[in-house]
Amino acid sequence: MAAAPTRSLLTRPRARLLAVLAVCAVNFFAHLGALPVTLMEARNFVAAREMAAGGSWLLPTMNGQLRLAKPPLPTWSVATLLRLTHEAANPALLRLPAAAMATLLVLFFWGLTRELTRPAPDEALAPGRTAWLAALVLGSSLLVVTVGREGQWDIFSNSLAIGSLWLLARGWNQPGPAYLTFVGAGLLLGGTFLSKGPVSLYTLVLPFVAATLTRWQPGGRARLRQHLRGTLVAAGVGLLVGGAWPLYVWQHVPAAAAAVARVEVSSWSERHVEPGWYYFNFAVFVGVWALVALAALAAPYARPRAARFVPYGFGLAWLLAALVLLSVVPAKKERYMLPLLPPLVLLLTGLLRYWEQEVAAQRRAPAPDRWLLHAWATALTLAAVAVPVALWWAHLPGFEPADPAFLLTVLALGALAALAARGGWQQRPGPLILASVLMMSALLALLLPAYAALKTRAEATGLRRLTHALARSAWQRLPWLALDELPIEQVWQAGRAVPTWAAPANRLPPLPAVVVAAAPLPRRLPAAWRGRVRVVRTDSFYLGSKPEDGLFYVGELVAGPADER
């Protein structure tokens, strides 16, 4: 027999919204500038910097060369921020659009889950709680947090795709025409394409629609048939919005567009190739919810429990369809698993709601439920205890045992360990859910500076960096060029384009200029330049945190007889 619905402050819509926004604020925005800019971020930030500095917004460039491999919507967002703030060297600022999209992903998923759970048998026990809890789980999932804190394309395309699915589901649930809702879905579909091409349409939208048409979603075909015109409107709007930029590119630079298309098609089959089972560990990427996720995937156990609160068969079909579509593509990366998390979170939230509604009300729960709750509580408690121990052992600056940051970490994680242990001992899933949500936020808020300090300590000391060469005020006013291609991360640090010189060998660049190369400049200069230029004020810098990462040489090139010294 179902337990009576629990009444608390968090049954109020405003309180629930504030709770979700608070989790997103910590998980996606705290310490945004703590970690160095990654390769993918550097590509986006360099293209945005050149766009904001006066480059084309429809034909983006990266380090002075056309950048057509990725659609421009994420770059537009960063470039707009640069035009407003003029702070091109602040990674935390440039990651704000991605963090905002991660927050939108959580909110969109909240709305989508609300539409999917309306007909659930036990939804009336606590209306809206399942969808709200699903939003909290997604917002505290490991892969969503890591991708949502990086300024690249995946979070944009996945967020807008989930938003389009929410509006599609909302439109399909209406008793009458809902063309405005379908137009909104189409706009978001177009934005999805403008973020990362057809990738999220293939990995999120297609498996969702396919699962809707199966017998695992009762009434799905009938609703889609009823709103077929609205669905076609959404598809048409999405095609118009998403296809506008590729069409513009094809009309203005057809040769470059064709070359990029060939490279992109081949890269999906030739680069980052992994075996078909590469994604089979996807459940661990929900982080603190991993054990619950594994239990939710055990259909004989989870289905009779979770199906009372979520459409379990539909969610499993959606998840398996997405997994198959991802696995058949040879190119694989961890962040490509992001489309698997929404259906997985839907399933595990159904199990959480069963435990919350039924197990907590029973004097003695069935053995499988007891074992899972005890295992979940044990894992959380051990993790909360292990982190301060690891901090003590690492002796990081600012996190010594007497430092306030260390003491605060011990207190916060100690309280969470006690909360988790109590929930497991009393077989109360509520404290375990709260401890899981808060643990991810606590780790991010308290330990990201420690992680940054750990990475800094791992770097070799005494290495000259590009920032040291940039300290020369005279070089800041000169154009820069490279005789060997400079890694894009270094181009980002340079604060300007450093194009690779590709003119005829006997042609000199405008002088004076700053030149970088992978070999000492007197030996690396083209033969046709010798006797016509000389190198003055030379320097060098390492490309990474260790000498083996590579060394580049830099110097000022001026007109005049060769300097043979």
Side-chain angles (χ1 to χ4, degrees), residues 70-86:
K70 293 292 188 292
L73 182 59
T75 309
W76 287 343
S77 67
V78 178
T80 301
L81 198 60
L82 284 174
R83 292 289 291 269
L84 294 174
T85 63
H86 305 287

Side-chain angles (χ1 to χ4, degrees), residues 171-474:
W172 292 338
N173 283 341
Q174 299 302 311
Y179 289 108
L180 188 60
T181 301
F182 286 114
V183 168
L187 292 174
L188 293 177
L189 286 172
T192 300
F193 194 93
L194 289 176
S195 296
K196 205 179 177 181
V199 174
S200 291
L201 301 180
Y202 171 79
T203 59
L204 263 175
V205 178
L206 178 59
F208 180 91
V209 175
T212 301
L213 296 176
T214 66
R215 65 185 182 88
W216 300 109
Q217 180 67 326
R221 291 183 185 180
R223 289 195 297 271
L224 200 153
R225 191 181 303 114
Q226 177 188 354
H227 292 283
L228 182 59
R229 290 184 180 179
T231 304
L232 293 176
V233 167
V237 172
L239 183 62
L240 287 174
V241 174
W245 180 75
L247 181 62
Y248 178 89
V249 170
W250 189 262
Q251 289 179 337
H252 288 77
V253 284
V260 168
R262 288 192 295 270
V263 171
E264 287 297 301
V265 170
S266 64
S267 67
W268 282 101
S269 59
E270 299 174 359
R271 299 175 60 189
H272 309 292
V273 175
E274 299 290 348
W277 57 84
Y278 181 78
Y279 293 132
F280 285 8
N281 64 339
F282 64 91
V284 304
F285 287 89
V286 290
V288 293
W289 309 100
L291 191 145
V292 185
L294 291 172
L297 292 174
Y301 164 78
R303 185 177 180 182
R305 293 167 169 80
R308 293 170 47 186
F309 300 91
V310 298
Y312 185 89
F314 166 79
L316 188 60
W318 177 16
L319 175 65
L320 293 177
L323 179 60
V324 169
L325 291 177
L326 281 169
S327 298
V328 297
V329 178
K332 296 177 178 66
K333 294 181 182 179
E334 286 184 354
R335 57 186 169 86
Y336 293 172
M337 280 189 274
L338 193 58
L340 300 176
L341 263 64
L344 179 60
V345 168
L346 179 68
L347 298 178
L348 76 87
T349 303
L351 190 55
L352 291 176
R353 284 289 293 122
Y354 170 80
W355 287 343
E356 187 181 54
Q357 197 71 42
E358 294 295 333
V359 173
Q362 297 175 10
R363 180 169 295 182
R364 183 171 177 81
D369 298 318
R370 293 201 313 271
W371 295 339
L372 283 169
L373 289 174
H374 284 316
W376 185 18
T378 301
L380 291 175
T381 304
L382 291 177
V385 171
V387 170
V389 173
L391 272 182
W392 171 81
W393 178 80
H395 292 290
L396 296 174
F399 287 87
E400 295 288 351
D403 291 329
F406 180 84
L407 297 176
L408 183 59
T409 301
V410 171
L411 290 175
L413 294 181
L416 291 178
L419 181 65
R422 180 186 176 191
W425 179 261
Q426 298 179 346
Q427 298 180 32
R428 294 175 55 202
L432 296 177
I433 295 171
L434 180 61
S436 298
V437 172
L438 294 180
M439 184 170 293
M440 177 58 75
S441 298
L443 292 175
L444 289 165
L446 298 172
L447 296 185
L448 262 182
Y451 180 69
L454 185 63
K455 289 183 67 71
T456 301
R457 193 170 71 177
E459 297 176 356
T461 58
L463 298 183
R464 287 191 66 79
R465 302 298 177 83
L466 179 57
T467 51
H468 297 119
L470 290 169
R472 296 174 182 262
S473 58

Side-chain angles (χ1 to χ4, degrees), residues 479-483 509 513-517 521 525 529 553-557:
W480 286 52
L481 61 95
L483 299 179
V514 177
V515 180
V516 299
L521 291 175
L525 293 180
W529 292 9
Y553 298 85
V554 57
E556 184 177 339
L557 196 66

